[in-house]
Amino acid sequence: DLNRQLNDLAVHDHLTGQFNRRYFEDALESEFKRMQRSGGTLSIAIMDVDFFKSYNDHYGHMAGDRCLADVAAAASAALLRPGDYLCRYGGEEFVAILADTDEGGARLTSERMRKEIANLRLPHELSPFQHVSVSVGVASVDGRNAASIAGLREELVGAADRALYAAKAQGRNRVVAASETQNPDRTAKQPTLKLI
């Protein structure tokens, strides 16, 4: 029982109760191996709480901690399938692993998470939305084209991260997919994975 409790603590974030970054890395590797065996797609959604630094500064760090816990609970509740996981990635960032999900499905799930959080109506006076909101970046990959877990992690997470920053640049409180942020510059390094 003690070993099980210690293992549980090792993969969960103490503040939000969600899985932590260590779990994310392990789960991504497991999904990668499963995709190599059976094919299919894998999506991730990186979510960031909008204007969180100003929230912390205005309401205090204890309120900020409660906000993160509430956001995580709402986002997790929006993941309807048992195989989907929400992990705290760091600070006010979370990442959802969406197995066997293409970009369209990942966008729908991410939009559901965004709406669940908006529906909390957590006051945020320093946000233009007047309540806590999130921006989400989505990326999807065909697992049959992934040569290594390192390549998968670098390119899939990188693509979702770029989509997240595009969501912020477009005004925040929205979902953007990696396919919407493709760089038309043919001289730029092309991904070795087939992002979909």
Side-chain angles (χ1 to χ4, degrees):
D1 283 349
L2 181 59
N3 283 337
R4 190 167 59 249
Q5 288 175 8
L6 289 173
N7 186 56
D8 194 53
L9 288 171
V11 296
H12 282 87
D13 173 59
H14 72 280
L15 177 65
T16 64
Q18 302 300 319
F19 291 112
N20 59 20
R21 188 166 183 162
R22 174 184 169 186
Y23 183 87
F24 169 72
E25 300 288 346
D26 291 345
L28 194 63
E29 184 168 353
S30 295
E31 285 301 324
F32 169 75
K33 289 175 180 174
R34 188 190 60 74
M35 282 193 314
Q36 282 194 315
R37 289 191 306 272
S38 60
T41 57
L42 172 67
S43 295
I44 64 169
I46 298 181
M47 179 178 72
D48 187 77
V49 180
D50 296 328
F51 308 106
F52 188 69
K53 183 182 183 308
S54 61
Y55 185 96
N56 254 347
D57 291 345
H58 185 70
Y59 295 100
H61 290 281
M62 289 186 71
D65 287 350
R66 286 192 300 274
C67 171
L68 290 177
D70 290 345
V71 162
S76 182
L79 299 178
L80 305 180
R81 299 182 315 164
D84 294 341
Y85 305 103
L86 184 73
C87 308
R88 187 172 180 199
Y89 199 59
E92 66 271 21
E93 268 192 342
F94 297 87
V95 60
I97 299 176
L98 308 170
D100 291 319
T101 304
D102 62 12
E103 184 178 277
R107 281 188 61 90
L108 287 172
T109 299
S110 298
E111 187 61 28
R112 192 165 55 242
M113 287 193 295
R114 189 195 68 76
K115 286 180 178 176
E116 285 289 327
I117 291 159
N119 287 341
L120 293 173
R121 307 302 294 179
L122 298 173
H124 187 349
E125 292 177 14
L126 301 182
S127 165
F129 311 110
Q130 294 296 294
H131 61 83
V132 170
S133 63
V134 294
S135 299
V136 189
V138 171
S140 305
V141 67
D142 182 335
R144 292 166 293 193
N145 295 311
S148 70
I149 182 61
L152 175 74
R153 185 180 298 116
E154 179 183 345
E155 294 192 25
L156 185 61
V157 173
D161 200 47
R162 287 188 296 277
L164 169 63
Y165 279 90
K168 291 182 177 187
Q170 293 174 26
R172 303 179 194 250
N173 194 21
R174 68 191 64 229
V175 177
V176 171
S179 64
E180 301 171 61
T181 65
Q182 298 294 329
N183 188 345
D185 180 6
R186 299 289 183 214
T187 63
K189 180 185 173 199
Q190 296 301 309
T192 56
L193 298 181
K194 183 184 177 189
L195 293 170
I196 56 173

